[in-house]
Each structure stands twice: as structure tokens, then as C-alpha cells.
Amino acid sequence: MQKKPEPIRKADVIWMDGKLVPWADAKVHVLTHSLHYGVAVFEGIRAYPQPDGRGAVFRLREHVRRLFESAHICLMEIPYTKEQVVEACREVLRANKMTEGYLRPLAYHSDGAMGVGAVNPVKLTVATWYWGAYLGEEGLKKGIRVKISSYTRMHMNSDPTRAKVTGHYLNGVLAKREALVAGYDEAILLDQQGFVGEATGENVFVVRDGTLYTPPVAGGILEGITRDSILKIAKDKGIPVEERRFSRDYLYCADEAFMCGTAAEITPVREVDDRRIGAGEMGPLTKEIQSVFFRAVRGQEPRYAEWLTTI
Ligand code: PPE
């Protein structure tokens, strides 16, 4: 049975094209172009409380940069500068008196003309809300059960996989629904050649004989910012890392596996297609990386201070 998702914890206001609008009034027209054709680019960003009691946004500039790259790929012109978007993210958190939360910038084509060829003005909104553990508190500690999807990850020449575009997420939604209906927590999609690609909202890592492996970006996955942070943490800790393609059976035989993303943070995988991974719990390397990551986002790892932007 599918679990009923919890409604999100609302904030007071949402940033919409320069104005702070009450949550209930942040609406668009039903003929909003992006709603019909899936051409909206977005980001998912987290802010965390810091030791001084203030909040900070994790890798804000990298997320904003990716938002602009996604728009660039879609021939979409965001009518703001990157600095204005950075400020909008900080402003909406401040206005909601939040030191911790999830940020969702979204640029979309508004209403006006219709048809695939229409290029309506681009609007930008930044919403924020409190979002707990994406794959459950228990998942974060004990690991989740994953299914290899019957859906294939889309090809980079059908949908530019570097871009974080709403339309891409049909692929993920189908895979996720299939996995949830079958009683799993998450799905992993294989790429066109049958290699492990990524999960519906996370990148994938495995550990074997002390080395960390993750599929290369060139294979048509989203270049996750959490993935990048993990590669850096691992290198700094002297853990060997390899960006390399691997098959689903390699995943079955891994010593450890985990997924990572802004929403999911670092979530261990304890089972794939009913095969236990390692000891069936969070592995030691996963634990080590997860704990450095959680300290880094909360300002407790001075060497990663540059990843944080104060609200
Ligand atoms: N792959 C996909 C397909 C993806 O959606 C995400 C983020 C990642 C990898 C990891 O990227 P990064 O967040 O930069 O480390 N998924 C976002 C949306 C999740 C949702 O359900 O909404 C997120 O984690 O914010």
C-alpha cells in the first residue's frame, strides 16, 4: 500500500517576482504555459541552523548557478540576475523567520499565448517550507528499501538531463509511484545502456572494498550538488572515489550503498530488489560521510564554511 504523504508545513509568505505574497495568495492562471508543457526550471535548496543561532543556506550560489544553466539549456531567460535570486532566497527565509527549511525557486513561462511554440514571459517564484527527512527519519538512520525501476532514465538527447526541468520529473514520478505501490521506499532508474543512473530525486553511491563509486555525470544524470559535496568530503578524508558506470548486479553485491540529494540528504540503502546490501544497515563509510555532511551543513566543520551563506 502507498503511504499517504504528509502535507507540508506552510510558511507565511512566498516570494513572487519581487513581492512577498501571503502563502494562500501565491497563485497562477490555469493557462500558465509551463503547467501544460512542463517547461519550468527549479531548484531544491536547504537552509540549516548554525551554532550562532542564525541560519545558513547550503551551497546557495551553486544552486542558483544550476537554475540559470537549466534555464539556458531551455532557451528561457530569467529576468533577474543570479545575485537577485540569491537575495530572494535569503529574503523569503528572513520574512518567514526561518533559520531552517527547504527553498524551492521555480522559473516558469506565464500565461498569454498557447501552443508548444509560445514563449511567454518568464516569472520567478521562491517558496520555502519546513521539510523533515525526505525518506523518513528511520530511513536516514537505518536505510531504505529500493527497487530497480521498470522505467528507463530518459536519454540526454531526448531531455537534457543536466537541466532540472519540471517536465523531466514525469520519468521520476512514474518510477517512484511504481516503487511505492510495490512496497519499496524509492526507485533507481537504469540508463539507456542498462547501467545504474540515479534515483527519482537522488544520486547513487556504492562502496566496495573501501572505494566509493558513483555513476559519471556524462551518463546522463543530474549533476547533484550533494553528490559533489560528498566527492569533496571523501577526497579530503582520503577515501578513494571513482566516477564509474556499474550494473545493477554490482549494486546488489556492494558492501554499502546510499543515495544523496538536497531533500534526501544522505540516506543509506539497506536493500535493492530484495537483496540485502552489506549487513542490511548503514555501513561504516556511509556513516562517516553522513556525519561529516551533517556537521558541515550545520556549520560545525570549519573547512567547509565556504559552502554556507548566512540568511
Ligand atoms: N537527481 C535527481 C533526479 C534529483 O531530482 C535530485 C534532487 C538529485 C539528483 C540530487 O541533486 P542535489 O539536490 O543537487 O544534490 N532532487 C530535488 C527534488 C526532490 C523533490 O522530491 O522535490 C531535491 O532533493 O531537492
Side-chain angles (χ1 to χ4, degrees):
M1 272 301 287
Q2 255 179 291
K3 288 175 214 146
K4 207 165 174 259
E6 278 179 44
I8 59 176
R9 206 195 290 176
K10 294 175 190 168
D12 296 333
V13 290
I14 291 178
W15 191 99
M16 284 185 94
D17 291 295
K19 291 195 186 73
L20 292 167
V21 178
W23 182 280
D25 301 334
K27 293 178 180 164
V28 295
H29 195 271
V30 290
L31 291 188
T32 295
H33 181 275
S34 296
L35 198 55
H36 295 250
Y37 307 106
V39 198
V41 298
F42 70 104
E43 273 304 317
I45 314 172
R46 273 191 192 268
Y48 292 91
Q50 303 298 305
D52 65 0
R54 296 168 74 182
V57 185
F58 185 65
R59 305 202 69 176
L60 177 56
R61 284 187 169 75
E62 291 86 337
H63 281 284
V64 170
R65 177 180 171 204
R66 190 172 65 187
L67 181 75
F68 277 77
E69 287 180 356
S70 297
H72 175 71
I73 290 168
C74 296
L75 289 172
M76 214 177 168
E77 259 182 61
I78 298 179
Y80 300 97
T81 63
K82 290 196 189 88
E83 213 38 54
Q84 283 172 315
V85 179
V86 163
E87 285 314 312
C89 291
R90 298 175 68 210
E91 190 186 346
V92 75
L93 286 166
R94 278 200 301 267
N96 286 300
K97 300 188 177 56
M98 287 165 69
T99 53
E100 175 175 14
Y102 185 83
L103 283 161
R104 171 56 57 85
L106 176 96
Y108 59 97
H109 287 289
S110 59
D111 55 308
M114 282 303 276
V116 175
V119 187
N120 292 343
V122 176
K123 305 257 192 186
L124 179 75
T125 168
V126 186
T128 184
W129 63 89
Y130 173 81
W131 216 359
Y134 183 73
L135 294 162
E137 272 303 328
E138 201 178 299
L140 218 48
K141 294 188 184 100
K142 300 206 168 127
I144 57 163
R145 296 178 58 246
V146 176
K147 182 190 192 304
I148 300 289
S149 188
S150 72
Y151 292 97
T152 301
R153 172 92 182 143
M154 66 255 179
H155 191 272
M156 56 194 128
N157 277 339
S158 62
D159 302 79
T161 43
R162 272 195 81 73
K164 202 165 165 64
V165 186
T166 53
H168 286 2
Y169 283 79
L170 172 61
N171 189 232
V173 167
L174 290 171
K176 182 89 180 192
R177 287 186 180 171
E178 177 188 65
L180 293 177
V181 167
Y184 297 87
D185 303 307
E186 180 55 299
I188 288 179
L189 293 113
L190 304 179
D191 68 17
Q192 308 274 312
Q193 279 78 44
F195 293 101
V196 170
E198 63 183 325
T200 67
E202 304 89 12
N203 293 116
V204 178
F205 278 85
V206 301
V207 175
R208 191 173 165 92
D209 296 332
T211 298
L212 204 53
Y213 298 95
T214 195
V217 172
I221 55 165
L222 185 77
E223 189 172 11
I225 291 165
T226 319
R227 174 188 181 278
D228 178 72
S229 311
I230 290 165
L231 290 174
K232 174 94 173 82
I233 289 170
K235 279 176 194 158
D236 289 348
K237 282 190 118 357
I239 299 165
V241 288
E242 256 186 63
E243 295 179 60
R244 198 182 84 179
R245 298 172 110 186
F246 51 85
S247 52
R248 70 196 284 177
D249 53 357
Y250 193 77
L251 184 53
Y252 294 164
C253 300
D255 298 331
E256 302 178 31
F258 62 87
M259 324 198 138
C260 67
T262 300
E265 300 169 307
I266 296 179
T267 302
V269 173
R270 65 182 164 91
E271 231 178 71
V272 179
D273 287 347
D274 309 302
R275 277 92 170 163
R276 200 179 62 194
I277 304 300
E281 57 187 25
M282 172 153 39
L285 249 156
T286 307
K287 196 169 194 160
E288 195 178 333
I289 292 170
Q290 192 199 56
S291 84
V292 176
F293 176 80
F294 279 140
R295 284 202 305 275
V297 299
R298 290 188 172 79
Q300 294 156 4
E301 286 280 344
R303 88 189 287 177
Y304 303 120
E306 59 172 24
W307 284 345
L308 299 166
T309 303
T310 309
I311 295 166

